[in-house]
């Protein structure tokens, strides 16, 4: 069962309730923080406000901080490093390997699951973060041409060596999760999950429940689209904003999807909440609906937004609210990414 109450959204729990990350022995606040946007992918940022947001999140009981080696070619890990080192014993540090970028063409994305590449990646992340051990180390994307047992076997060696405490997977199917878990316990699966994105419910979520693996939804706010922070990416966002490349946020798709947000806004108005809090509450209540631990990691670089987001952990939506929201995903226009081969959706 999830730790939700019927307290008002303004009464932000401090600290947040903690939940286990699989059977790893690690525990984290029931909502984490996606740190990618601090200095990567979403256009210009205020570095001082982003640093203050990290601190405020920790004060509110957020303890799972999520980054990856590909975010800015390691720049995101370097940005987090001073905060991580200052609070090393208070937080759960998660990073990832497996996506390869091209410095000459930012639109290019590749996958490398080779054990030798893994070794280079973990050493690079440890160096940039300035730590001796990564708490939760994810395979960012699985290459279907490489047996996942082989990759996870190599990752398990890092646990034995003390470089990593627990293993995670991102964007995998149920069968892939089972195969990996048979080699080494998987603490968490991270995939996109929101009122707009529910393909993980086909096989990954049932497998995670069966195996006792925690689910970590990324982009639970639809990269800001569900909050109303933008409606047309190509008109409202900077030229270097990654969201301009995502089909559901541009052109006719964006117009159609914006119309789907009416129930979200109506529920928010009835309940005295923000649309983002309603969307997050829906994700948190997947814990009860599917019978597994769920720790969403909404990203933000603003203190006010992290306060708003953590307040959503105290919201319990009514069955009628959930029924309205459950209709949305099937009607969303456009894919999550321009290249869906980099997701598990086609393999679900």
């Amino acid at each position: 069962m999830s730790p939700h109450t019927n307290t008002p959204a303004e009464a932000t729990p401090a600290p947040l309730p903690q939940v286990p990350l699989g059977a790893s022995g690690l525990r984290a606040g029931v909502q984490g923080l996606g740190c990618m946007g601090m200095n990567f992918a979403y256009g210009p940022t205020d570095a001082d406000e982003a640093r203050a947001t990290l601190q405020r999140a920790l004060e509110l009981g957020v303890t799972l901080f999520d980054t990856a080696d590909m975010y800015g070619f390691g720049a995101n890990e370097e940005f987090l490093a001073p905060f991580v080192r200052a609070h090393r014993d208070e937080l759960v540090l998660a990073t990832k390997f497996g996506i390869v970028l091209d410095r000459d063409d930012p639109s290019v994305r590749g996958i490398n699951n080779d054990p030798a590449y893994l070794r280079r990646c973990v050493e690079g992340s440890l160096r940039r973060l300035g730590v001796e051990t990564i708490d939760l180390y994810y395979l960012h994307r699985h290459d279907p041409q490489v047996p996942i047992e082989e990759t996870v076997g190599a990752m398990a060696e890092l646990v034995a060596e003390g470089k990593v405490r627990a293993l995670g997977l991102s964007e995998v199917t149920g069968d892939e999760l089972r195969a990996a878990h048979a080699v080494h316990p998987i603490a968490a699966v991270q995939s996109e999950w929101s009122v707009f994105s529910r393909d993980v419910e086909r096989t990954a979520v049932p497998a995670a429940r069966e195996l006792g693996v925690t689910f970590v939804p990324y982009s639970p706010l639809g990269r800001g689209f569900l909050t109303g922070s933008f409606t047309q990416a190509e008109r409202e966002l900077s030229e270097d904003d990654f969201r301009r490349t995502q089909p559901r946020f541009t052109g006719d798709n964006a117009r159609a999807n914006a119309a789907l947000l009416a129930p979200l806004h109506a529920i928010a108005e009835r309940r005295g909440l923000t649309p983002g809090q309603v969307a997050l509450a829906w994700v948190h209540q997947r814990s009860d609906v599917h019978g597994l631990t769920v720790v969403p990691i909404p990203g933000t670089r603003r203190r006010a937004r992290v306060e708003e987001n953590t307040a959503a952990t105290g919201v319990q939506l009514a069955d009628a609210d959930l029924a309205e929201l459950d209709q949305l995903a099937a009607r969303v226009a456009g894919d999550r990414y321009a290249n869906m081969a980099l997701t598990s959706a086609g393999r679900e």
Side-chain angles (χ1 to χ4, degrees):
M1 295 293 286
S2 64
H4 309 119
T5 69
N6 286 309
T7 54
E10 308 84 57
T12 305
L16 296 178
Q18 292 209 341
V19 292
L21 298 178
S24 66
L26 296 172
R27 295 181 65 83
V30 74
Q31 186 167 287
L33 182 64
C35 299
M36 180 180 78
M38 294 282 177
N39 65 349
F40 175 70
Y42 293 159
T45 188
D46 180 335
D48 289 339
E49 177 64 17
R51 292 187 189 96
T53 299
L54 293 170
Q55 187 64 43
R56 183 61 178 143
L58 188 62
E59 291 168 358
L60 292 167
V62 172
T63 59
L64 176 61
F65 292 83
D66 183 272
T67 182
D69 64 356
M70 58 84 67
Y71 298 161
F73 297 94
N76 196 249
E77 292 179 326
E78 291 173 345
F79 180 84
L80 289 179
F83 171 76
V84 168
R85 290 196 298 270
H87 301 282
R88 188 64 191 97
D89 295 335
E90 303 169 65
L91 55 80
V92 176
L93 173 63
T95 192
K96 319 177 195 73
F97 90 99
I99 294 182
V100 183
L101 302 183
D102 184 337
R103 288 185 181 273
D104 297 324
D105 185 352
S107 67
V108 173
R109 297 281 191 277
I111 302 176
N112 190 337
N113 290 177
D114 182 75
Y117 178 72
L118 160 65
R119 285 280 169 178
R120 294 198 299 274
C121 287
V122 74
E123 295 296 343
S125 289
L126 288 168
R127 182 181 65 254
R128 287 186 293 270
L129 289 161
V131 298
E132 296 181 355
T133 306
I134 294 163
D135 297 316
L136 178 58
Y137 198 48
Y138 286 99
L139 172 62
H140 206 166
R141 292 295 189 271
H142 168 51
D143 180 354
Q145 304 305 312
V146 178
I148 199 164
E149 297 92 336
E150 178 181 319
T151 306
V152 172
M155 294 172 71
E157 294 176 5
L158 303 178
V159 178
E161 295 166 13
K163 295 179 179 180
V164 170
R165 289 194 173 90
L167 303 183
L169 305 172
S170 180
E171 291 280 356
V172 293
T173 67
D175 284 345
E176 290 164 352
L177 173 56
R178 290 186 184 92
H181 195 76
V183 174
H184 187 280
I186 301 299
V189 167
Q190 179 180 135
S191 290
E192 187 164 355
W193 199 6
S194 73
V195 295
F196 265 25
S197 301
R198 299 180 61 183
D199 48 81
V200 294
E201 294 175 22
R202 295 178 206 147
T203 69
V205 168
R209 179 184 63 238
E210 167 194 323
L211 298 171
V213 174
T214 295
F215 216 95
V216 178
Y218 73 78
S219 297
L221 296 173
R223 301 185 186 273
F225 191 83
L226 298 176
T227 72
S229 64
F230 72 98
T231 56
Q232 281 281 345
E234 69 270 33
R235 288 208 314 258
E236 301 167 50
L237 304 180
S238 62
E239 290 189 6
D240 59 346
D241 196 303
F242 169 68
R243 291 168 290 187
R244 290 168 63 105
T245 72
Q246 296 185 280
R248 61 178 49 172
F249 301 144
T250 58
D252 290 342
N253 288 342
R255 282 185 283 275
N257 293 335
L260 296 179
L261 299 179
L264 202 66
H265 288 277
I267 294 167
E269 186 173 351
R270 289 199 304 266
R271 296 290 306 274
L273 304 168
T274 66
Q277 287 172 328
V278 173
L280 275 174
W282 182 91
V283 175
H284 277 289
Q285 284 180 248
R286 299 305 91 191
S287 177
D288 294 327
V289 171
H290 294 280
L292 77 170
T293 302
V294 176
V295 182
I297 50 169
T300 185
R301 50 198 179 189
R302 292 171 46 207
R303 282 169 288 180
R305 188 69 81 180
V306 83
E307 290 167 357
E308 175 187 327
N309 291 347
T310 53
T313 64
V315 174
Q316 188 81 19
L317 298 176
D319 289 344
D321 299 330
L322 297 175
E324 284 188 76
L325 298 173
D326 285 350
Q327 308 303 312
L328 301 183
R331 299 162 58 195
V332 171
D335 286 331
R336 295 194 274 129
Y337 291 92
N339 180 6
M340 287 296 285
L342 290 176
T343 75
S344 61
R347 306 192 306 274
E348 283 282 356

